[in-house]
mmCIF file of all heavy atoms in Angstrom:
data_model
loop_
_atom_site.group_PDB
_atom_site.id
_atom_site.type_symbol
_atom_site.label_atom_id
_atom_site.label_comp_id
_atom_site.label_asym_id
_atom_site.label_seq_id
_atom_site.Cartn_x
_atom_site.Cartn_y
_atom_site.Cartn_z
ATOM 1 N N LEU G 1028 28.228 -36.947 -24.620
ATOM 2 C CA LEU G 1028 29.105 -36.358 -25.673
ATOM 3 C C LEU G 1028 30.473 -37.080 -25.699
ATOM 4 O O LEU G 1028 31.006 -37.362 -26.796
ATOM 5 C CB LEU G 1028 29.283 -34.853 -25.395
ATOM 6 C CG LEU G 1028 28.024 -34.027 -25.490
ATOM 7 C CD1 LEU G 1028 28.356 -32.561 -25.131
ATOM 8 C CD2 LEU G 1028 27.436 -34.093 -26.882
ATOM 9 N N ALA G 1029 30.994 -37.385 -24.541
ATOM 10 C CA ALA G 1029 32.292 -38.080 -24.486
ATOM 11 C C ALA G 1029 32.232 -39.466 -25.099
ATOM 12 O O ALA G 1029 33.125 -39.863 -25.862
ATOM 13 C CB ALA G 1029 32.774 -38.174 -23.041
ATOM 14 N N MET G 1030 31.140 -40.201 -24.809
ATOM 15 C CA MET G 1030 30.993 -41.548 -25.381
ATOM 16 C C MET G 1030 30.809 -41.517 -26.920
ATOM 17 O O MET G 1030 31.299 -42.374 -27.606
ATOM 18 C CB MET G 1030 29.789 -42.249 -24.718
ATOM 19 C CG MET G 1030 30.032 -42.623 -23.240
ATOM 20 S SD MET G 1030 31.414 -43.732 -22.999
ATOM 21 C CE MET G 1030 32.614 -42.578 -22.253
ATOM 22 N N ILE G 1031 30.109 -40.488 -27.384
ATOM 23 C CA ILE G 1031 29.980 -40.345 -28.838
ATOM 24 C C ILE G 1031 31.335 -40.147 -29.484
ATOM 25 O O ILE G 1031 31.684 -40.766 -30.509
ATOM 26 C CB ILE G 1031 29.027 -39.188 -29.185
ATOM 27 C CG1 ILE G 1031 27.602 -39.523 -28.748
ATOM 28 C CG2 ILE G 1031 29.053 -38.868 -30.669
ATOM 29 C CD1 ILE G 1031 26.616 -38.381 -28.918
ATOM 30 N N PHE G 1032 32.109 -39.244 -28.878
ATOM 31 C CA PHE G 1032 33.441 -38.991 -29.423
ATOM 32 C C PHE G 1032 34.323 -40.244 -29.361
ATOM 33 O O PHE G 1032 34.998 -40.582 -30.341
ATOM 34 C CB PHE G 1032 34.080 -37.840 -28.627
ATOM 35 C CG PHE G 1032 35.490 -37.563 -28.987
ATOM 36 C CD1 PHE G 1032 35.777 -36.826 -30.144
ATOM 37 C CD2 PHE G 1032 36.565 -38.034 -28.216
ATOM 38 C CE1 PHE G 1032 37.105 -36.600 -30.505
ATOM 39 C CE2 PHE G 1032 37.863 -37.768 -28.558
ATOM 40 C CZ PHE G 1032 38.147 -37.045 -29.712
ATOM 41 N N LEU G 1033 34.276 -40.932 -28.212
ATOM 42 C CA LEU G 1033 35.124 -42.129 -28.101
ATOM 43 C C LEU G 1033 34.707 -43.259 -29.024
ATOM 44 O O LEU G 1033 35.558 -43.990 -29.573
ATOM 45 C CB LEU G 1033 35.128 -42.631 -26.632
ATOM 46 C CG LEU G 1033 35.805 -41.715 -25.634
ATOM 47 C CD1 LEU G 1033 35.641 -42.264 -24.241
ATOM 48 C CD2 LEU G 1033 37.294 -41.589 -25.983
ATOM 49 N N SER G 1034 33.394 -43.391 -29.206
ATOM 50 C CA SER G 1034 32.933 -44.457 -30.127
ATOM 51 C C SER G 1034 33.361 -44.174 -31.563
ATOM 52 O O SER G 1034 33.767 -45.089 -32.282
ATOM 53 C CB SER G 1034 31.406 -44.601 -30.051
ATOM 54 O OG SER G 1034 30.763 -43.401 -30.520
ATOM 55 N N VAL G 1035 33.288 -42.916 -31.966
ATOM 56 C CA VAL G 1035 33.732 -42.557 -33.310
ATOM 57 C C VAL G 1035 35.217 -42.818 -33.477
ATOM 58 O O VAL G 1035 35.688 -43.384 -34.498
ATOM 59 C CB VAL G 1035 33.358 -41.084 -33.642
ATOM 60 C CG1 VAL G 1035 34.013 -40.641 -34.946
ATOM 61 C CG2 VAL G 1035 31.865 -40.912 -33.676
ATOM 62 N N ARG G 1036 35.987 -42.434 -32.447
ATOM 63 C CA ARG G 1036 37.427 -42.645 -32.503
ATOM 64 C C ARG G 1036 37.737 -44.148 -32.522
ATOM 65 O O ARG G 1036 38.664 -44.584 -33.224
ATOM 66 C CB ARG G 1036 38.099 -41.970 -31.312
ATOM 67 C CG ARG G 1036 38.032 -40.447 -31.349
ATOM 68 C CD ARG G 1036 39.000 -39.891 -32.335
ATOM 69 N NE ARG G 1036 40.395 -40.197 -31.971
ATOM 70 C CZ ARG G 1036 41.442 -39.929 -32.736
ATOM 71 N NH1 ARG G 1036 41.259 -39.388 -33.929
ATOM 72 N NH2 ARG G 1036 42.674 -40.221 -32.334
ATOM 73 N N ALA G 1037 36.992 -44.918 -31.737
ATOM 74 C CA ALA G 1037 37.244 -46.352 -31.703
ATOM 75 C C ALA G 1037 36.998 -47.032 -33.020
ATOM 76 O O ALA G 1037 37.741 -47.905 -33.459
ATOM 77 C CB ALA G 1037 36.366 -46.993 -30.581
ATOM 78 N N PHE G 1038 35.918 -46.616 -33.709
ATOM 79 C CA PHE G 1038 35.648 -47.193 -35.018
ATOM 80 C C PHE G 1038 36.718 -46.805 -36.041
ATOM 81 O O PHE G 1038 37.018 -47.528 -37.003
ATOM 82 C CB PHE G 1038 34.272 -46.739 -35.525
ATOM 83 C CG PHE G 1038 33.143 -47.532 -34.918
ATOM 84 C CD1 PHE G 1038 32.189 -46.860 -34.126
ATOM 85 C CD2 PHE G 1038 33.031 -48.887 -35.090
ATOM 86 C CE1 PHE G 1038 31.147 -47.567 -33.572
ATOM 87 C CE2 PHE G 1038 31.983 -49.598 -34.550
ATOM 88 C CZ PHE G 1038 31.032 -48.940 -33.757
ATOM 89 N N ASP G 1039 37.361 -45.619 -35.808
ATOM 90 C CA ASP G 1039 38.363 -45.165 -36.797
ATOM 91 C C ASP G 1039 39.695 -45.838 -36.629
ATOM 92 O O ASP G 1039 40.399 -46.175 -37.590
ATOM 93 C CB ASP G 1039 38.521 -43.660 -36.677
ATOM 94 C CG ASP G 1039 37.310 -42.894 -37.228
ATOM 95 O OD1 ASP G 1039 36.542 -43.486 -38.025
ATOM 96 O OD2 ASP G 1039 37.152 -41.707 -36.860
ATOM 97 N N ILE G 1040 40.115 -46.025 -35.351
ATOM 98 C CA ILE G 1040 41.487 -46.484 -35.097
ATOM 99 C C ILE G 1040 41.569 -47.945 -34.685
ATOM 100 O O ILE G 1040 42.634 -48.521 -34.642
ATOM 101 C CB ILE G 1040 42.160 -45.595 -34.034
ATOM 102 C CG1 ILE G 1040 41.454 -45.767 -32.687
ATOM 103 C CG2 ILE G 1040 42.158 -44.136 -34.466
ATOM 104 C CD1 ILE G 1040 42.116 -44.996 -31.550
ATOM 105 N N SER G 1041 40.438 -48.529 -34.241
ATOM 106 C CA SER G 1041 40.495 -49.893 -33.708
ATOM 107 C C SER G 1041 40.084 -50.904 -34.787
ATOM 108 O O SER G 1041 39.086 -50.676 -35.469
ATOM 109 C CB SER G 1041 39.615 -50.039 -32.486
ATOM 110 O OG SER G 1041 39.615 -51.405 -32.056
ATOM 111 N N PRO G 1042 40.840 -52.007 -34.923
ATOM 112 C CA PRO G 1042 40.419 -53.029 -35.875
ATOM 113 C C PRO G 1042 39.191 -53.795 -35.401
ATOM 114 O O PRO G 1042 38.542 -54.487 -36.163
ATOM 115 C CB PRO G 1042 41.645 -53.922 -36.006
ATOM 116 C CG PRO G 1042 42.368 -53.772 -34.714
ATOM 117 C CD PRO G 1042 42.126 -52.354 -34.297
ATOM 118 N N ARG G 1043 38.941 -53.763 -34.043
ATOM 119 C CA ARG G 1043 37.811 -54.474 -33.528
ATOM 120 C C ARG G 1043 36.658 -53.509 -33.276
ATOM 121 O O ARG G 1043 36.827 -52.522 -32.490
ATOM 122 C CB ARG G 1043 38.207 -55.180 -32.219
ATOM 123 C CG ARG G 1043 39.188 -56.321 -32.441
ATOM 124 C CD ARG G 1043 39.417 -57.094 -31.144
ATOM 125 N NE ARG G 1043 40.118 -56.234 -30.202
ATOM 126 C CZ ARG G 1043 41.444 -56.261 -30.051
ATOM 127 N NH1 ARG G 1043 42.187 -57.050 -30.735
ATOM 128 N NH2 ARG G 1043 42.017 -55.456 -29.146
ATOM 129 N N PRO G 1044 35.476 -53.675 -33.805
ATOM 130 C CA PRO G 1044 34.355 -52.737 -33.654
ATOM 131 C C PRO G 1044 33.671 -52.846 -32.324
ATOM 132 O O PRO G 1044 32.876 -51.940 -31.998
ATOM 133 C CB PRO G 1044 33.428 -53.142 -34.800
ATOM 134 C CG PRO G 1044 33.685 -54.578 -35.006
ATOM 135 C CD PRO G 1044 35.155 -54.764 -34.755
ATOM 136 N N TRP G 1045 33.920 -53.910 -31.535
ATOM 137 C CA TRP G 1045 33.175 -54.046 -30.261
ATOM 138 C C TRP G 1045 33.443 -52.926 -29.320
ATOM 139 O O TRP G 1045 32.558 -52.524 -28.527
ATOM 140 C CB TRP G 1045 33.483 -55.380 -29.626
ATOM 141 C CG TRP G 1045 34.927 -55.538 -29.199
ATOM 142 C CD1 TRP G 1045 35.925 -56.077 -29.911
ATOM 143 C CD2 TRP G 1045 35.467 -55.128 -27.951
ATOM 144 N NE1 TRP G 1045 37.138 -56.056 -29.235
ATOM 145 C CE2 TRP G 1045 36.858 -55.446 -27.987
ATOM 146 C CE3 TRP G 1045 34.993 -54.515 -26.785
ATOM 147 C CZ2 TRP G 1045 37.722 -55.185 -26.946
ATOM 148 C CZ3 TRP G 1045 35.832 -54.239 -25.764
ATOM 149 C CH2 TRP G 1045 37.181 -54.558 -25.823
ATOM 150 N N LEU G 1046 34.671 -52.355 -29.328
ATOM 151 C CA LEU G 1046 34.987 -51.256 -28.396
ATOM 152 C C LEU G 1046 34.149 -50.019 -28.745
ATOM 153 O O LEU G 1046 33.622 -49.330 -27.876
ATOM 154 C CB LEU G 1046 36.494 -50.929 -28.462
ATOM 155 C CG LEU G 1046 37.004 -49.894 -27.448
ATOM 156 C CD1 LEU G 1046 36.709 -50.398 -26.014
ATOM 157 C CD2 LEU G 1046 38.473 -49.651 -27.654
ATOM 158 N N GLY G 1047 34.030 -49.691 -30.024
ATOM 159 C CA GLY G 1047 33.226 -48.560 -30.430
ATOM 160 C C GLY G 1047 31.760 -48.786 -30.114
ATOM 161 O O GLY G 1047 31.047 -47.850 -29.692
ATOM 162 N N MET G 1048 31.273 -50.033 -30.259
ATOM 163 C CA MET G 1048 29.885 -50.312 -29.900
ATOM 164 C C MET G 1048 29.632 -50.178 -28.410
ATOM 165 O O MET G 1048 28.570 -49.717 -27.985
ATOM 166 C CB MET G 1048 29.512 -51.701 -30.377
ATOM 167 C CG MET G 1048 29.529 -51.892 -31.922
ATOM 168 S SD MET G 1048 29.124 -53.551 -32.428
ATOM 169 C CE MET G 1048 27.458 -53.672 -31.809
ATOM 170 N N LEU G 1049 30.640 -50.576 -27.620
ATOM 171 C CA LEU G 1049 30.498 -50.418 -26.159
ATOM 172 C C LEU G 1049 30.364 -48.954 -25.773
ATOM 173 O O LEU G 1049 29.480 -48.577 -24.960
ATOM 174 C CB LEU G 1049 31.702 -51.063 -25.461
ATOM 175 C CG LEU G 1049 31.740 -50.911 -23.923
ATOM 176 C CD1 LEU G 1049 30.549 -51.630 -23.302
ATOM 177 C CD2 LEU G 1049 33.049 -51.470 -23.371
#
Side-chain angles (χ1 to χ4, degrees):
L1028 296 177
M1030 291 300 106
I1031 293 174
F1032 175 77
L1033 291 176
S1034 65
V1035 172
R1036 292 285 296 173
F1038 281 117
D1039 288 341
I1040 65 177
S1041 175
R1043 291 187 292 265
W1045 64 267
L1046 186 59
M1048 294 179 62
L1049 176 63

